[in-house]
Amino acid sequence: MSDEVNWDRIRALAQRVLTQGEPLELSVETRALLIQSAQEVALDTQDAEDALRSVPTATSLLGEIRQRIREGANRLSEAEDQVEELQEKGSLSEAQHVLRDLLAVEHVPFYRQQARRLLDDLTKLAEVLATGRLHPDLHDRQQLATLSLRIQRGHSLELTEDVRALLRRTAPTAAITDAETEEALKSREGAEALMDVIVSRFREAQSRFLHAMYRMTSLRDEGDLEGARQQLRAVLAVELVPRYRQMAAEQLRGLDPPAPQS
């Protein structure tokens, strides 16, 4: 199965038929859509074809497809949240267990692919944690956080060329200058301290931004646009990490009134 699926059409059909009460019309196009969608959520093709013999059974098939899409999405989202929380705590084995539990019950191939990909990444991160050696397929910040965790657990940083390159790539994303980076890389202790600063800045920036977004959304929905803007201005007043500065600025611009038409 492809890594990408598009369930917009089947969701729209389910909305019209199952929510709004429109009768299901078994046109050639609708039959093809139901068969394809049934296959995408791992329903038996013969059972799906049998269901298309009548409108009531076809409607039930549509309901089953929608249910599998919804339940799979919810399971995956919950698992991703748990994995992220456990990763923050350094509990990689527990995070892996969450994904294995998901794979034990999930049938939809698309969601299984996402879970397997996450599990594969966690397995590689566990190797980084155990050995201190970087993996070429992993995201820089993931590996940086894992190396930082390894140091916290009492291991010394092996200042290899790969690690130096990782720190040189990630330091600018945390608003650390090249001169500061090169000075830190003169010693293992300096590199460890640099790594801690990069990881800490990103964690603090993410927390600050998410908190501001929560407050901004609440105030915006209450009609207090100026209060909503102030949440983002407060982020911009202290934020150093370029990525989060950019996101805050974009959100702030989104609160501006539309330009008058000439």
Side-chain angles (χ1 to χ4, degrees):
M1 178 171 175
S2 168
D3 282 353
E4 298 296 331
V5 294
N6 187 337
W7 284 320
D8 289 348
R9 291 173 60 216
I10 197 71
R11 287 190 178 106
L13 180 63
Q15 176 69 17
R16 294 196 305 272
V17 173
L18 302 176
T19 303
Q20 298 174 1
E22 291 185 16
L24 179 63
E25 296 182 8
L26 289 177
S27 64
V28 172
E29 181 182 4
T30 298
R31 288 174 181 271
L33 176 63
L34 286 168
I35 290 295
Q36 175 186 330
S37 301
Q39 293 171 343
E40 289 174 342
V41 298
L43 289 170
D44 183 76
T45 300
Q46 186 59 57
D47 289 345
E49 290 175 349
D50 291 343
L52 295 180
R53 293 176 180 172
S54 72
V55 170
T57 54
T59 302
S60 296
L61 173 64
L62 176 60
E64 176 66 17
I65 293 169
R66 181 174 71 169
Q67 181 175 349
R68 287 202 174 198
I69 292 172
R70 284 181 169 178
E71 290 180 350
N74 289 337
R75 273 193 295 265
L76 180 61
S77 178
E78 290 174 4
E80 287 174 335
D81 288 344
Q82 291 179 54
V83 166
E84 183 177 357
E85 183 178 346
L86 289 167
Q87 275 189 271
E88 287 290 326
K89 296 177 181 178
S91 303
L92 298 185
S93 60
E94 291 182 46
Q96 289 173 298
H97 187 68
V98 168
L99 293 171
R100 291 191 184 102
D101 284 348
L102 172 62
L103 287 167
V105 298
E106 184 56 66
H107 297 290
V108 177
F110 177 72
Y111 298 129
R112 289 185 61 82
Q113 286 176 353
Q114 306 310 304
R116 284 199 186 102
R117 188 173 291 119
L118 285 171
L119 182 56
D120 183 52
D121 284 350
L122 283 173
T123 301
K124 293 171 182 174
L125 284 173
E127 293 174 2
V128 175
L129 182 61
T131 66
R133 292 191 294 272
L134 301 180
H135 197 288
D137 296 336
L138 293 173
H139 192 283
D140 281 349
R141 287 204 307 277
Q142 283 184 313
Q143 301 203 80
L144 200 70
T146 303
L147 285 178
S148 179
L149 176 63
R150 178 178 165 83
I151 293 168
Q152 292 172 26
R153 293 183 175 178
H155 297 278
S156 296
L157 178 67
E158 186 178 352
L159 197 50
T160 63
E161 285 307 309
D162 284 349
V163 171
R164 290 176 184 273
L166 174 66
L167 289 167
R168 288 187 176 112
R169 286 195 304 272
T170 53
T173 68
I176 297 169
T177 67
D178 290 346
E180 291 171 321
T181 300
E182 294 307 318
E183 181 64 28
L185 291 178
K186 290 179 179 179
S187 69
R188 176 179 58 79
E189 293 78 11
E192 290 180 352
L194 174 64
M195 184 177 296
D196 184 60
V197 170
I198 297 170
V199 171
S200 297
R201 282 192 182 179
F202 262 96
R203 284 178 176 165
E204 291 167 5
Q206 182 183 50
S207 176
R208 185 162 42 236
F209 179 75
L210 292 177
H211 178 74
M213 284 295 296
Y214 173 78
R215 290 287 300 137
M216 181 276 285
T217 302
S218 298
L219 290 166
R220 181 198 62 195
D221 293 347
E222 293 169 3
D224 184 0
L225 289 181
E226 185 55 32
R229 293 187 187 100
Q230 186 54 42
Q231 301 304 311
L232 297 167
R233 292 189 188 114
V235 170
L236 290 168
V238 298
E239 188 55 70
L240 297 174
V241 176
R243 176 185 176 186
Y244 287 100
R245 284 192 61 82
Q246 180 182 356
M247 289 193 296
E250 288 173 353
Q251 291 293 328
L252 184 58
R253 285 194 296 271
L255 294 172
D256 290 338
Q261 296 182 349
S262 56

